[in-house]
Amino acid sequence: MERSKKNAIFSGRSFLSRTLTRRDAGDQPSEDGKGPFGLSTLFEPEILAIADLVFVHGLGGGSKSTWTKSNDPSLYWPKTWLPQDPGFQDVRIHSFGYNSNWGDESILNVHDFAKALLGSLQDCPLIPRNTSAPLILVGHSMGGLVIKRAYIMARQKEGYENLSQRVKAIFFLATPHRGSDLAQLLTKVLNVSPGARPFVKDLHRNSLATQSINEEFPQYCQDLRLYSFYETLPMAYGLGKSIVVEKDAAVLGYANEQSTYLNANHREVCKYADQKDSNYQTVRNALASAIDKLRASSIPLKHEVNNEQRRRLDGYLGVSDAPEDEFMDIDALRLRGSCEWLMRKRSFQDWRDSATAQFYWISAKPATGKTVLSGKVVHHLKDLNRDIAFFFFDYRNKAQTTISSFLLSMAAQMAHMHTEVLQTVVDICEKDDQLCKADYRTIWRKLLMEGILRIRFARAQYWVIDALDECKNGSDLVPFLLKIIEMRSNIHILLTSRDRFEFHRQAIYPKVKVVQEEILLEDTKSDIELYLDANLDRLPLIEEEDEVDIVSKILEKSAGCFLWVSLILQELRLVHTSNEIRQVLEEVPSDMNALYLRILDSISKAPPYGKALARAILTWAVCCSRPLTTSELYQALQIDIKDKIDNIKASIESRCGQFVYVDAQSRVQMVHQTARDFLLQASGFSEFGVEERRGHRRVFVTCLEYLSGNEMRSPKHRKFNLSSIARERGPFVNYACNSFFEHVVHVSSQDDEAFAMLTKLLSSTNILSCIEYIAQYSDLKRLIQAGEAFKKFLQRRLKHSTPVGKEFVLLDYWATDLIRLVTKFGKDIKASPSSIYHLIPPFCPPETAPRKHLAGSTRGIAVLGLSATTWDDCLSTIVDSQEKFTALACSDKSFAVGMSSGKVVIYDETTCQQSQALDHEEPVKILYFGRRIDILISAGPRKVRIWDVGSWEQVWEFKTPQQCMSLVLIEEDQLLLGALKNNNLAIWDLTEGTPRDTADWALHLEGPQFDAYRRPVVAASFCLESCLLAVVYRGQDILLWDLDRDEVHDTFSKAGSSSKIAKVNGSAGVTGGLVFSATPNETLLAAAFDDGDLVLFDILEGTVRETALVNAQTLACSPDGRTLASGDSFGTIQLFDFENLRLLYRINSDEYCINKLAFTGDSHRLLDIRGSECRVWDPMVLVRQDGEEENSGTVSVSTAPQEVNLESTEKNVLITSIVCHPDSGVFFCGKEDGSVYLYETKSGRQTHKLFSHVKGESIRSLFFDVESNALSSIDSGRVKVHKLKQTQEGWEAIDTLFNHRVYDEATVVKQVLTKRGATHVLICTRRSDVLWYISSKETTIVIETISWEERGPFRWATHPLNEDQLILISDNIAHLYEWKSLRRLTGDEGILLEGSILPTSIIPIFDELAINSITPCFDNTTIATTFGEDSRPQSKAKLLLWNAADFGVESKSAAPIPKYHSLVDQVKTLIGDDGQRLVFLRSDNWISSIDPESASADHYDRHFFLPADWLSSDVKLMIRVAHDRDIVFVKRDEVAVIKRGLDNIEEEAGGKSGKRPSLLGRESGKRPSLKLPAKTL
């Protein structure tokens, strides 16, 4: 305790603040006068850096002093001269410093300095990590040895490949390559001083260090350009005067070396009095020459790389050249000479030219030309060759109204300007390729805060943002922009808006200077005069004196409004005399609304013909979610008004041209947002006003009419050409499919006609055509948005309608089905859009709309046997019966499961498929993903490991004295903070891989607290927002420790805040469930107590907010902080609103105790681990309203809690084996309880039990002999053979032919085979093969026994060409045996299996892969074998096909059939032979098949794909071909029967009919993976 107090007094700071302070203080160590240690960047070019030039000093030097004459800063030539030299304008220049002061004691040597140099180059923030820019190193004296050793290390060590490849040239200035005699003299002098200096001894002539370097360096330097400079003048050193490094030691003598002398002594070879110094000229010219050569060779490559990266970038961000096109359209509207008034303003010039970033806010009334002014600013800055990015918000285009689209566009433009930004953004997007679809807060954090804004720009950057008032949630954007200025990112921002900055003022950024400018009448007066001058010649002929008067009146009445002027000029063009001109100017009001009203009156007074068309045009222009093109509007209007239109553009100009116009891209646009607002308000007093609800209904109904029409009819036949169908559809298809649902939110929920039209579409197969179109040409997110819109419409309709009738049910189905189609089949629909017609619906549950569409089909695929009638919230179940799952964590793209064996398995978050496996080497207790950097942390009882998510390589390993109970990353994920079981806090530095500090928080406690909390920790949880650590001890109150003050913050019992003295009584303790809310600024803590209560504390108030009886064992908080999940010992999961513990969702189950819970990164899915299972849940209740603009239609879930009941394992008895009757529509299933049941293919359901083994013994395999109707069943140690008989009631087991127990407890039965007719039974274990003869049920005789001491994986099969023979394959050898006697027929060496299935010979492959199956096929002429990893039930199969005739008694070898080589790596699971074809599950989850003819052409047929969640489990797949070519698939306790699946043959997206070329075939241009011996080929 006293030691703790002394430490606290000495430090004066908390443990956490001490650690962070030391870390900050250690960033830039330096030695006074000599320059800083580490790598200092002296010059960053404004253009793309073509190379990096690094200077490294020598003994006793410094990063600055070595290169500076007479300590004059102006003579620091790498910093002051080279950046001004034209030959170095595109070179990034650095200087590296280290402590080489020979006067100080040191433990460091040349090797240590080299390591520091390597690390500095690798981690320099100003050098792009993946850059390929050449690296030139310049070393003086010992610095040359440091460089050589660093280069050798880079060539030898993993992780430095890119760095070593970049080194192109090394310059040596008086470097003692073989050491120096003066170094030995220096050592003698230094011996009188205490302490060692290893780096001085490294300089001795022919020292071990120099010898080692000289032996290794020649092996790696052949491709480098080497330059050596040697001194010629002696240097006085106090004890004499001589040359320090002789020529023989300073010159390498290599063929690729250039050497020359410098007229200077050892110290002056790198210091120069002026730029005319001949020594400087010699060194400078050599450097410039080397850089010129590198520049010539690297520039084309860089452009090529950058262009490729830019293409990838545009794909990741979903942007193109649209910003530039938008700018050109806007700039074309500006008259030459206009908007110059802003360029002349002092405030604008100060903003433009300021050395520090400023925020320039321009506000003005509507229609005063803000957008054109923004275009002028862009044009002006481009003319000045400034780096500029811009964005024009536009209410008319929904894609240009969101913060997300703004951020993505600016990021793309910045990346196109700067290589470093390009590389940074591409790196971020490669880690998260769906980032462009994320919400704007995620994009801001990942792309801007953690990416672009961390880059230091050498010169000012400019952002021009127009029309903030047209941005949805524009006020949310302002803090982002202020943050950019506050971060001193050198980004100057100019923004225009109707509103002044005060309207958006943010109190959290009081120090950010915002310059405000308001557009005044006198500012725009000159621009309006220019506009009038350019357009008056289009008016009727008037006198010159009248022209001045007209201009004056227009200027007076315009009040600075450009739109008003434009509309007046349009009206003046319709008059013919000067008097009429004056009359118009007198009568036209200056107020915009009054002007709009006057225009409406004029349209009303026009002849009656064309009014209907005008109303329709105005309605569509106002209500469409994006501007339609003229061709789109042309088709839509003809459907709408039920009439033909001659010329849509002419109709727009003649009937409503003052409200609507056609832009350069042929889009129909409103003249201004004020015009749209006015038309929406005018519905009450003008026939041309647009009533919003009716307008949207009109658009909605028109879309429905189109979608229900002939153009969208689904194909009658499955064989059709997608491109021909696309050509038959009109241009309106894009808007109708992608946007029709956006209008339903505006339609009255009491509109029965619109409701009926919608359900008519949904009840037809036309909706499938709509889904197909979206999948092929758009984003599947549109389907999710459509489902959410339907759900919202339905909820509104429920308020006044009874939920009865097939129409209501249909809409309810589709509201859910559209979302589930994406989550269940999204990848498949995107890859094969036409699959929505006939491949996907059969796999949907019966009570879903897609399935019902095919209810009457008797020709298509049908799926029978599954009990689920609706969608299940459980997306996937992952099982590994050999493991116990102990830890769980989720990131944005993956989730990780830790196991008691130390294994950590990584799964894809979307598909739930395994993507990686790691080994922690001890039981895994905690898993934790980084938020800012892509790392995974695994922790066990004694170790913490850090894994790189990109490569899945281990980065660091830390040993811990006790188990970590909680981990959290701090300091932008650079430091790892852990709470250990022994009351210790530990911090590890992830940048250096070293422990930073430890502290014992319990040592600060006194008295009863000390005794109460000096015991092992049960659970712990960090809250960085409040800088608190919550700790649970058995039987004690919750301890809250203040990390900032190093003291107890509070203790909490069930009643709330306790006194500072802990109670040591028998009150309820916390079970281990403890979690803080993740919501920023929230102070909520949830704790599960052992009496069953879940208590929600407000730690700021010290009170209990809510209590619920839950019996929770574990808790988890969603990343958004809104949802709390609990799991109990009975397997029940409950979801609560974290703020008030309102129950949202409950899952009841009797399966295992919930061990851990975790939410996915988007908070929309929940994972749990229990026993040996991990389940992924996707309840709709988690899709909650979040306010994001792109998801404004998100459905608010019902407030009533939802409950899901899962049957217990006693009712769900898993199927463990299956075999099909080849000639009858039945199959047999063995179960984990030892029973064997009969199933029918016509229903997929079990009919009755045939017989049982001992209860609890799983049936491991079944074998059926069709000739004798004998069914063999095998558990771990018993083999039974039953005689079956078919009766009128079905199949029955009428007799037991064989019943044998294997008594060798050390082995289990691996295989059982019966001879045709069931006269012989072969029972195989690891140690023996025993052949039994069955003469009757009373008589069974052992014919032969083969004993094995030890053998690897094996498989027996009846020879397909001779049923009296057996084939045994083990390792790479096959043998033939006689069935009746088990006598071996082949010689001792057997039949050698040649060829390979990997790029090595077959023999090593058999060491790694086990024989899985032997299957006769192609009318018994061919043998199909599969190999896989014996320990992994779902390991990818390696398929080899052999000629059955090659397996004869006299055969010596057999080789795989070459024409089937493309299937080797394509098959995931071999299913079987249907009599004509070999059927298999391909790696992409397609059921496919081949026959001898198609295989010879290297083709195979694709039939259908299996849903991804069917294949997500780690249980061994059981798929068989049944009678009538049905496919049967075991799903836990059920069997799905897929009928007519093999009758369907899918064509490729390219249009090839029936057959699909192999991915490894000749057409792909790839070399086959199967390599055969030369003699076979």
Side-chain angles (χ1 to χ4, degrees), residues 393 799 1089 1140:
F393 285 106
K799 295 178 181 178
F1089 286 81
N1140 51 30

PDB file of all heavy atoms in Angstrom, residues 393 799 1089 1140:
ATOM      1  N   PHE A 393     -25.744  20.122 -54.595  1.00  0.00           N
ATOM      2  CA  PHE A 393     -26.964  19.475 -54.122  1.00  0.00           C
ATOM      3  C   PHE A 393     -28.117  19.891 -55.038  1.00  0.00           C
ATOM      4  O   PHE A 393     -28.187  21.049 -55.489  1.00  0.00           O
ATOM      5  CB  PHE A 393     -27.276  19.881 -52.679  1.00  0.00           C
ATOM      6  CG  PHE A 393     -26.399  19.209 -51.663  1.00  0.00           C
ATOM      7  CD1 PHE A 393     -25.384  19.908 -51.016  1.00  0.00           C
ATOM      8  CD2 PHE A 393     -26.569  17.869 -51.352  1.00  0.00           C
ATOM      9  CE1 PHE A 393     -24.565  19.294 -50.082  1.00  0.00           C
ATOM     10  CE2 PHE A 393     -25.757  17.243 -50.420  1.00  0.00           C
ATOM     11  CZ  PHE A 393     -24.746  17.959 -49.783  1.00  0.00           C
ATOM     12  N   LYS A 799     -55.157   0.792 -39.620  1.00  0.00           N
ATOM     13  CA  LYS A 799     -55.818   1.695 -38.681  1.00  0.00           C
ATOM     14  C   LYS A 799     -57.305   1.833 -38.971  1.00  0.00           C
ATOM     15  O   LYS A 799     -58.076   2.209 -38.090  1.00  0.00           O
ATOM     16  CB  LYS A 799     -55.148   3.065 -38.725  1.00  0.00           C
ATOM     17  CG  LYS A 799     -53.698   3.047 -38.233  1.00  0.00           C
ATOM     18  CD  LYS A 799     -53.065   4.425 -38.341  1.00  0.00           C
ATOM     19  CE  LYS A 799     -51.617   4.396 -37.870  1.00  0.00           C
ATOM     20  NZ  LYS A 799     -50.958   5.729 -38.008  1.00  0.00           N
ATOM     21  N   PHE A1089     -28.048 -10.292 -12.033  1.00  0.00           N
ATOM     22  CA  PHE A1089     -27.781 -10.785 -10.686  1.00  0.00           C
ATOM     23  C   PHE A1089     -28.183 -12.250 -10.563  1.00  0.00           C
ATOM     24  O   PHE A1089     -29.042 -12.742 -11.308  1.00  0.00           O
ATOM     25  CB  PHE A1089     -28.517  -9.933  -9.650  1.00  0.00           C
ATOM     26  CG  PHE A1089     -27.887  -8.580  -9.442  1.00  0.00           C
ATOM     27  CD1 PHE A1089     -28.147  -7.540 -10.322  1.00  0.00           C
ATOM     28  CD2 PHE A1089     -27.006  -8.366  -8.399  1.00  0.00           C
ATOM     29  CE1 PHE A1089     -27.568  -6.296 -10.147  1.00  0.00           C
ATOM     30  CE2 PHE A1089     -26.409  -7.129  -8.216  1.00  0.00           C
ATOM     31  CZ  PHE A1089     -26.686  -6.090  -9.093  1.00  0.00           C
ATOM     32  N   ASN A1140     -34.932   1.329 -21.414  1.00  0.00           N
ATOM     33  CA  ASN A1140     -36.008   1.105 -20.438  1.00  0.00           C
ATOM     34  C   ASN A1140     -36.298  -0.370 -20.168  1.00  0.00           C
ATOM     35  O   ASN A1140     -37.270  -0.689 -19.470  1.00  0.00           O
ATOM     36  CB  ASN A1140     -37.292   1.786 -20.915  1.00  0.00           C
ATOM     37  CG  ASN A1140     -37.651   1.423 -22.342  1.00  0.00           C
ATOM     38  OD1 ASN A1140     -37.336   0.323 -22.812  1.00  0.00           O
ATOM     39  ND2 ASN A1140     -38.291   2.350 -23.042  1.00  0.00           N
TER      40      ASN A1140
END
